[in-house]
Amino acid sequence: MSATTKFRVALRGNALLTHPRFNKGTAFTTTERAAFGIIGHLPYKVNTLDEQCDRAYQQLQTRETPILKNSFLTSMKSQNWVLYYTLISRHLRELIPIIYTPTEADAIANYSHLFRRSEGLYLSFPNEETMEEEFLEQTEGRDIDLIVCSDAEAILGIGDQGVGISTAKAAIYTLIGGIDPSKALSVTLDVGTNNEDLLKDPLYVGWQEKRVRGEGYDRFVDKFVQLVRKYYPHSLLHFEDFGVTNAERLLELYKDQHACFNDDIQGTGAVTLAAVMAAIGVTKTQLKDQRFIVYGAGSAGLGITRQLRDGMVTADNISAEEANSKFYLIDKHGLIKSSLGEANIRADLNDFVRPDSEWEGVADANGEVSLLEVVKKIKPTVLIGCSTHAGGFTKEVVQVMAKGTERPIILPLSNPSRLVEVDPKDANDWTGGKALLATGSPFPPAKMPNGKEYIIAECNNALIYPGLGFGAMLSKSRTMSDKMIIAGTKRLASLSPALEHPDNALLPDFADSPSVNFEVAVAVAEQAIEEGLAGVDWKKEEVREKAKEKVWEPIYGEYIYDKDGEA
């Protein structure tokens, strides 16, 4: 959208001033104020967007805590989209943690007590029979490219929150991916909650019953997915914050039916793969040459492992079985090996179970093999942490690893920073500056032996998932294929500062995330066309220009009153 874009708008008076998509507040021109009957609704002076941003930022600074800042910005979003997105885009590094993780977790935890107005679509289990009617009430006549849905079972590290609309994720798609917010829909699938505090809270706004499981849950979710497929076949369906029992299962069930994406599984895996690809660009090796230890085998750890495996199969042209053999997964029972038995090994981990014959004489009296023993035996080149075990990568573990490889790749990814497996400064010191590092939370630079500061890359999903999603939406692909994700990941890795100098960060700075995600989107759409999955009749060479045309920018257009215009 450019500054000269003209909109024919049917709203007048208060209806216009209370519509967040079209409201300009004091930025309405004198001509527009007369045409839309709002001269008396506004103070005399006409402000520029810059002046509005300055005022809003000053107001924001008077809010002393992150949760109060979050509340202020949420209120602004419900009033004026252009001002909201402009303000945040100008202070991206400062304000993303306010509107998203970690502050959004507190906002969702207090959702019922902070509730002021509805935003998005709420589909509740007791109203299953009228789901289609409710869906159409919200969506009929709308052009929707993105649908973000959540059942709120695993919210941002704080667990089951029952009902809490997933608007923050959609906002990130707009801020960093350039998605038009009018074409995004956030959906809460309210299937109850097992959070006892919420079940006893008289102010809880959701369905106050135990969480539905089994056949009833599957039927409810499937009805929703089929509505998306029926009415918006070319949209991206983003699954957000589903619990471990459903996240992977739902993705596998629907990914071949519709363009589906789960950031907790695929986004985390993709940005980690990009960091590893950048690191092996420094070491001049290949993915298939690596030996991986993944410390923490939950949904994030398994998602990372699978994405690395798939990347290896695609990039190095080896079998999945050979790629699986490069991984050693560790959970609370120690190394995942066959003698742990079915009771202690989830079915989704079966591809990565190590044979006991490898560990004779290494396991302790309980049959467990510790992280240190695995490091000693296999001499890993890559050590990934997603365990939330603070300090799990001890000095001895790191130093033993450093003895076995010239440039150890160490990625302590657990969030928040207090739960990180190793402080990157310590890992840098313990390896004499040899480690190639990336973390899941922001950390200050570490000092190299030569005195240079080593920038710690942040494996932030927002460096890639908005671009992956935008690429799928842009190409109107009916699926999000593994090759599309790999193409986007390769593009992100190619932008690594470390490829220019080995002592630079492994990933681009988060402040550059909008331009980085644009490049990711182009790569994804090009791959969709190459695979024959795209729903557009473009050549690969046309994608970049088409993408530029589709990027939404928070700029006020010129309004012309038309009773038959948009409303």
Side-chain angles (χ1 to χ4, degrees):
M1 182 172 70
S2 70
T4 58
T5 299
K6 295 183 179 182
F7 293 99
R8 296 191 175 278
V9 181
L11 302 172
R12 288 178 59 83
N14 278 331
L16 178 62
L17 292 170
T18 56
H19 196 295
R21 179 183 176 190
F22 295 111
N23 180 30
K24 298 184 184 182
T26 57
F28 279 108
T29 66
T30 303
T31 301
E32 289 171 333
R33 294 180 187 204
F36 290 94
I38 54 175
I39 292 176
H41 292 263
L42 295 166
Y44 178 78
K45 185 176 180 180
V46 175
N47 285 128
T48 65
L49 181 55
D50 288 340
E51 290 170 339
Q52 288 182 313
C53 274
D54 289 344
R55 178 190 297 126
Y57 190 68
Q58 289 176 21
Q59 292 171 350
L60 180 67
Q61 297 314 300
T62 67
R63 275 62 177 179
E64 296 180 352
T65 65
I67 193 67
L68 288 175
K69 291 178 188 289
N70 177 284
S71 181
F72 174 83
L73 290 170
T74 299
S75 178
M76 180 185 292
K77 185 183 177 190
S78 70
Q79 299 171 50
N80 184 328
W81 284 355
V82 169
L83 181 55
Y84 170 83
Y85 286 111
T86 300
L87 178 65
I88 296 174
S89 65
R90 292 183 181 184
H91 303 275
L92 200 62
R93 185 183 294 280
E94 175 188 354
L95 297 184
I96 287 293
I98 298 297
I99 69 162
Y100 192 48
T101 182
T103 309
E104 183 68 3
D106 293 332
I108 293 175
N110 293 284
Y111 185 76
S112 293
H113 291 257
L114 296 173
F115 187 87
R116 292 177 182 171
R117 59 179 291 178
S118 60
E119 184 177 4
L121 172 62
Y122 301 82
L123 299 176
S124 303
F125 188 78
N127 300 330
E128 181 181 356
E129 292 303 314
T130 58
M131 183 190 291
E132 184 166 12
E133 180 181 331
E134 294 159 17
F135 183 88
L136 291 175
E137 281 285 347
Q138 278 271 24
T139 64
E140 199 161 21
R142 290 182 60 184
D143 182 12
I144 295 176
D145 291 333
L146 171 67
I147 297 173
V148 181
C149 71
S150 178
D151 72 355
E153 187 176 6
I155 294 286
L156 296 170
I158 59 173
D160 187 345
Q161 298 303 311
V163 60
I165 202 76
S166 51
T167 55
K169 186 68 76 171
I172 300 295
Y173 268 108
T174 293
L175 282 164
I176 297 174
I179 307 304
D180 184 339
S182 70
K183 297 184 178 183
L185 175 70
S186 295
V187 181
T188 286
L189 301 175
D190 185 1
V191 292
T193 178
N194 291 339
N195 184 322
E196 289 297 331
D197 291 337
L198 297 178
L199 289 171
K200 297 173 183 175
D201 186 349
L203 295 182
Y204 179 58
V205 296
W207 183 47
Q208 215 155 7
E209 297 289 343
K210 287 285 188 180
R211 190 169 279 274
V212 175
R213 301 288 190 194
E215 182 181 342
Y217 176 90
D218 289 350
R219 183 186 65 246
F220 184 77
V221 173
D222 186 68
K223 187 169 185 177
F224 164 69
V225 173
Q226 300 314 321
L227 288 174
V228 173
R229 295 185 64 213
K230 177 180 178 180
Y231 292 105
Y232 296 99
H234 295 295
S235 66
L236 176 73
L237 179 57
H238 181 117
F239 292 114
E240 178 72 5
D241 291 329
F242 282 76
V244 67
T245 58
N246 292 314
E248 180 75 28
R249 185 174 66 84
L250 292 175
L251 182 62
E252 289 298 314
L253 180 62
Y254 293 115
K255 70 177 186 179
D256 293 330
Q257 301 179 31
H258 192 85
C260 298
F261 186 72
N262 186 309
D263 184 40
D264 301 313
I265 297 170
Q266 295 163 296
T268 302
V271 74
T272 305
L273 174 58
V276 172
M277 283 181 163
I280 65 173
V282 173
T283 61
K284 302 293 191 286
T285 55
Q286 294 180 287
L287 279 172
K288 68 179 181 181
D289 299 328
Q290 312 310 311
R291 296 176 298 281
F292 296 89
I293 293 179
V294 180
Y295 188 63
S299 59
L302 181 59
I304 288 169
T305 301
R306 285 179 166 169
Q307 196 66 69
L308 288 165
R309 185 266 313 277
D310 294 344
M312 199 181 303
V313 169
T314 301
D316 297 337
N317 196 29
I318 64 174
S319 68
E321 291 73 23
E322 182 180 350
N324 289 343
S325 71
K326 311 291 184 180
F327 294 91
Y328 299 78
L329 273 58
I330 296 174
D331 67 5
K332 62 184 178 181
H333 302 293
L335 178 70
I336 294 177
K337 55 188 182 66
S338 55
S339 60
L340 289 180
E342 291 184 6
N344 295 318
I345 301 176
R346 301 194 315 272
D348 55 7
L349 296 172
N350 285 338
D351 286 344
F352 306 101
V353 177
R354 306 301 306 194
D356 279 82
S357 58
E358 293 179 345
W359 305 96
E360 292 178 3
V362 178
D364 63 17
N366 296 318
E368 296 182 3
V369 180
S370 69
L371 171 61
L372 179 59
E373 293 301 330
V374 180
V375 171
K376 287 179 178 178
K377 182 173 175 63
I378 74 159
K379 297 180 174 57
T381 58
V382 184
L383 179 59
I384 298 171
C386 33
S387 65
T388 65
H389 176 196
F393 296 169
T394 64
K395 183 176 183 179
E396 186 176 10
V397 164
V398 172
Q399 289 185 331
V400 169
M401 180 185 181
K403 289 179 181 177
T405 184
E406 178 61 27
R407 297 298 303 268
I409 302 167
I410 302 177
L411 312 178
L413 303 180
S414 287
N415 284 309
S417 54
R418 61 184 172 81
L419 299 179
V420 75
E421 287 79 8
V422 63
D423 188 309
K425 176 184 178 299
D426 291 335
N428 180 71
D429 292 344
W430 296 339
T431 62
K434 294 197 307 178
L436 296 165
L437 297 160
T439 56
S441 299
F443 278 88
K447 190 74 72 175
M448 301 285 284
N450 61 9
K452 179 181 177 180
E453 285 195 332
Y454 179 67
I455 304 298
I456 308 300
E458 184 185 350
C459 263
N460 191 321
N461 294 16
L463 282 172
I464 194 166
Y465 82 77
L468 293 174
F470 183 32
M473 292 178 243
L474 182 66
S475 64
K476 297 189 179 298
S477 175
R478 290 273 188 149
T479 184
M480 175 77 85
S481 73
D482 291 340
K483 287 184 178 180
M484 288 165 65
I485 295 174
I486 296 297
T489 304
K490 285 182 175 179
R491 185 65 58 89
L492 172 58
S494 73
L495 301 173
S496 167
L499 299 181
E500 297 179 2
H501 191 286
D503 290 339
N504 289 340
L506 289 179
L507 292 171
D509 189 281
F510 183 71
D512 297 324
S513 54
S515 60
V516 168
N517 275 281
F518 179 83
E519 292 299 324
V520 170
V522 170
V524 170
E526 289 174 344
Q527 181 62 36
I529 291 171
E530 186 169 316
E531 288 186 73
L533 299 174
V536 294
D537 186 21
W538 302 340
K539 296 177 181 177
K540 287 175 60 176
E541 296 76 18
E542 298 177 88
V543 169
R544 183 171 296 275
E545 288 305 314
K546 296 289 187 182
K548 289 178 181 178
E549 294 171 6
K550 289 287 186 179
V551 171
W552 184 84
E553 296 179 27
I555 299 170
Y556 291 133
E558 178 185 341
Y559 292 177
I560 300 169
Y561 179 67
D562 182 347
K563 61 183 179 60
D564 296 319
E566 294 186 80

